[in-house]
Structure formats: C-alpha cells, structure tokens
Amino acid sequence: SDQFTARQYSYAESLGTNGVYTPQMVIDGTTEFLGSDAAQARRSIARAAQVPKANVDLSLIPAADDRKLKLGVRITGPVAAQATGKADVLLAITENGLASNVERGENAGRHLVHRAVVRQLKMLGNMDRRPPSEFTAKAAVSLRANWKRENLRAVVFVQEQSSRKILGAAA
C-alpha cells in the first residue's frame, strides 16, 4: 500500500535513519531495527512497556450486518504529547494467517505465513495534552469479502504528531 510505504518513510525521517528496508521493526515510534532480530525486539518491547501510557479502551458494538465492524473508543490518562502537544488517534485492522510465496531476495522459494498484516489504517481524530485529555469516538469498518473475520483484530493507538511516539494502545 502506498499509504503504508509513506508511513514507513515518515518513520525514517523522524528517527533520522538513511532509508527504509524490509523487514524493519519500529517499537513505540522511537526505536527501529532489523525486524528479524528477536533479541533486540524483546529488549525494545520490555523498555517500551516501562513507559507510562494513556488508557485506551476499545469495545465492540453489536452490528446488524456481519460484514461491518463497529467499535467504541475511549482514551483517558496521560497523553504526554510534546512539541505541538497534538496526537493522532488511529485504528488499524489487522489479519493473521495470511501467507505469501516469495519469488526473489533472501527468502526466494519460501512459503511465509504472516501475522498482524495491516488491512486498513484510518484516522479516528486528534487530541492534545491539555485537560481534560480525553477522546471518545465510534468507528465503523466495512469488512472485505476476502478477510477472515475470525483472524481479524482491531488496534487503536495514540501517536504524537511531531515525534511519532506511541502514547497509548489497545487491541
């Protein structure tokens, strides 16, 4: 997706790296490294888990149409956005169990199974750190026919606009 490529380049700019690559992992919007480095991933995730985050509550709202997903979102707590003081609230719909047959590169000839593939990313709104620092929204997503509902997950996260730092998240 061009949208996801642009997002990856935006991270490269904010993190001061020389470019983008695959597989690249970004933790909490502040640390990037080669995505296949499991030890670095565990260390970075453990460090990020120590940082206080905003409370993000996500609830499923019953929908009459099973091809629709309706969600309620509420964010409270310390949204410690710096610089501009503004943060974006985003919703990602991810799917597990997807696979690809790799034709080129270091994994040529392999069949790879993927987890948490982003199928859709949409902006729910903005918030800032000024009191009351609360955000509520309802979101609706139309599920595509080729998505397997049982493998989908909704992820909401708050991201500081200027630094791209993650201020809170829930799935």
Side-chain angles (χ1 to χ4, degrees), residues 100-154:
S100 61
N101 293 313
V102 182
E103 297 178 9
R104 296 186 309 265
E106 65 185 62
N107 289 315
R110 293 183 63 196
H111 177 80
L112 301 178
V113 177
H114 309 290
R115 297 190 49 80
V117 174
V118 177
R119 291 298 212 157
Q120 186 176 79
L121 181 65
K122 68 191 274 184
M123 176 81 71
L124 297 181
N126 308 102
M127 60 187 302
D128 62 41
R129 64 181 177 174
R130 291 180 291 240
S133 287
E134 185 171 320
F135 176 90
T136 58
K138 290 187 178 168
V141 177
S142 294
L143 306 179
R144 298 215 177 130
N146 63 332
W147 297 357
K148 293 183 178 152
R149 188 179 181 102
E150 65 275 12
N151 293 344
L152 297 178
R153 178 174 237 177

Side-chain angles (χ1 to χ4, degrees), residues 52 65 74-75 103:
D65 181 352
R74 182 169 185 256
I75 300 167
E103 297 178 9

Side-chain angles (χ1 to χ4, degrees), residues 57-61 70-74 124 136-139 156:
D57 294 312
L58 184 57
S59 59
L60 186 60
I61 300 170
K70 291 187 176 184
L71 303 164
V73 178
R74 182 169 185 256
L124 297 181
T136 58
K138 290 187 178 168
V156 171

